[in-house]
Amino acid sequence: MTSLAGKIALVTGSRRGIGRLVAEHLLERGATVVGFARGEGTIEHAAYRHYRVDVADPAAVQRAFGSIAKDVGPVQIVVNNAAVLTSQYAMIMPPAAAQEMLNVNLLGPFMVSREAAKMMRRTKWGRIVNIGSMAASLEPIGDSIYAATKAGVATLANVLAKELGPLGVTCNTLAVTAIDSEMLAQLPRDKVEAIIQRLPVPRFAEADDILNVLDFLVSDRSGYITAQTIWLGGIN
Ligand SMILES: NC(=O)c1ccc[n+]([C@@H]2O[C@H](COP(=O)([O-])OP(=O)(O)OC[C@H]3O[C@@H](n4cnc5c(N)ncnc54)[C@H](OP(=O)(O)O)[C@@H]3O)[C@@H](O)[C@H]2O)c1
């Protein structure tokens, strides 16, 4: 695998779970990594820069990109990973929780992608990967808004792929299945296990399942791969 030395990658939601896994992997591959989360950074690495940013706040995202331009340089790889989940029947879902999912899971990737694209267009090279979910395909009860936001990030990537393709920027979605994290722990284990048992590959995702596809999508050789959703575990 080629080194990512000299590349600047931005990972949202980098302080735990999948985001941390991805950020640490990109660091291992030689990239400089900028991480966004609302909380303090948890990664200690000379090439890691943490920004406390709420991706649901467009002005905060824009301010952070101003600082990145000055302090780090132009972002070339984006992994839109930060998201929140409240799983609840629609009739009793608190409106504030529904609004938060829209703002974090959909508006966040939109703002981060558009600000990054302004940097990528200058170097005519960029890779944007949205972290999607099996929920967008399986449409589980209780996850109406969450699943809709995850379908939304795939649509967002597909439209941005058209806008940014001529600028050398690809936009794809990596739709993950269940992997242990704080988010997954919010769901009843028996409900998750029942879903997993029905997958073509009936097991939880492992770190390498995610990193394998990520490496493919951010590769220099993947410049002709755009507007795709790659579903782990055989979902379609
Ligand atoms: N785990 C699974 O089984 C699973 C399955 C399918 C899809 N996914 C997707 O995978 C991604 C990562 O999920 P995860 O399980 O790793 O979640 P997680 O453990 O809850 O971690 C979420 C990360 O996002 C950050 N974050 C949340 N809201 C934010 C905001 N407004 N602004 C900036 N950062 C924010 C959190 O840090 P702060 O709290 O400090 O902000 C944290 O670092 C999500 O897109 C999720 O939808 C996960």
Side-chain angles (χ1 to χ4, degrees):
M1 209 185 306
T2 55
S3 162
L4 293 176
K7 292 256 179 343
I8 300 173
L10 167 62
V11 181
T12 69
S14 57
R15 67 188 299 268
R16 63 172 187 265
I18 295 170
R20 181 171 181 175
L21 180 80
V22 165
E24 287 178 335
H25 177 70
L26 295 173
L27 285 164
E28 227 169 81
R29 291 197 52 204
T32 294
V33 176
V34 174
F36 282 1
R38 293 165 302 182
E40 296 284 358
T42 53
I43 298 175
E44 298 285 339
H45 192 290
Y48 179 74
R49 298 291 299 269
H50 191 79
Y51 288 76
R52 292 189 68 173
V53 181
D54 180 350
V55 298
D57 177 349
V61 171
Q62 287 181 309
R63 274 196 306 277
F65 269 89
S67 304
I68 293 166
K70 270 195 269 128
D71 303 340
V72 188
V75 169
Q76 294 148 303
I77 296 170
V78 165
V79 182
N80 279 310
N81 162 82
V84 290
L85 164 71
T86 300
S87 193
Q88 190 54 273
Y89 289 103
M91 285 188 283
I92 52 174
M93 171 74 77
Q99 185 73 59
E100 189 191 13
M101 281 186 272
L102 272 181
N103 291 347
V104 178
N105 303 5
L106 198 51
L107 181 64
F110 171 72
M111 284 305 300
V112 169
S113 299
R114 73 182 278 253
E115 296 307 311
K118 293 176 193 173
M119 293 174 158
M120 293 169 177
R121 75 175 163 198
R122 282 189 242 127
T123 50
K124 289 253 178 196
W125 193 96
R127 300 282 182 265
I128 297 175
V129 179
N130 290 348
I131 301 298
S133 169
M134 62 180 178
S137 173
L138 303 178
E139 301 173 343
I141 284 172
D143 287 342
S144 53
I145 286 281
Y146 175 77
T149 64
K150 289 297 170 180
V153 292
T155 302
L156 185 67
N158 295 348
V159 178
L160 291 186
K162 292 179 186 158
E163 293 186 20
L164 305 179
L167 307 175
V169 178
T170 67
C171 305
N172 293 289
T173 304
L174 196 182
V176 304
T177 48
I179 185 165
D180 280 317
S181 73
E182 283 189 27
M183 182 183 281
L184 191 75
Q186 292 176 47
L187 298 172
R189 195 70 178 183
D190 54 344
K191 178 182 168 185
V192 176
E193 274 167 6
I195 290 171
I196 292 298
Q197 286 318 311
R198 292 197 297 272
L199 298 183
V201 184
R203 64 165 173 81
F204 282 66
E206 288 166 12
D208 197 53
D209 297 320
I210 295 169
L211 299 177
N212 174 43
V213 178
L214 182 87
D215 284 336
F216 168 64
L217 293 176
V218 304
S219 164
D220 244 336
R221 297 178 66 202
S222 295
Y224 208 46
I225 307 291
T226 197
Q228 304 301 310
T229 298
I230 298 184
W231 302 91
L232 295 185
I235 295 167
N236 56 37

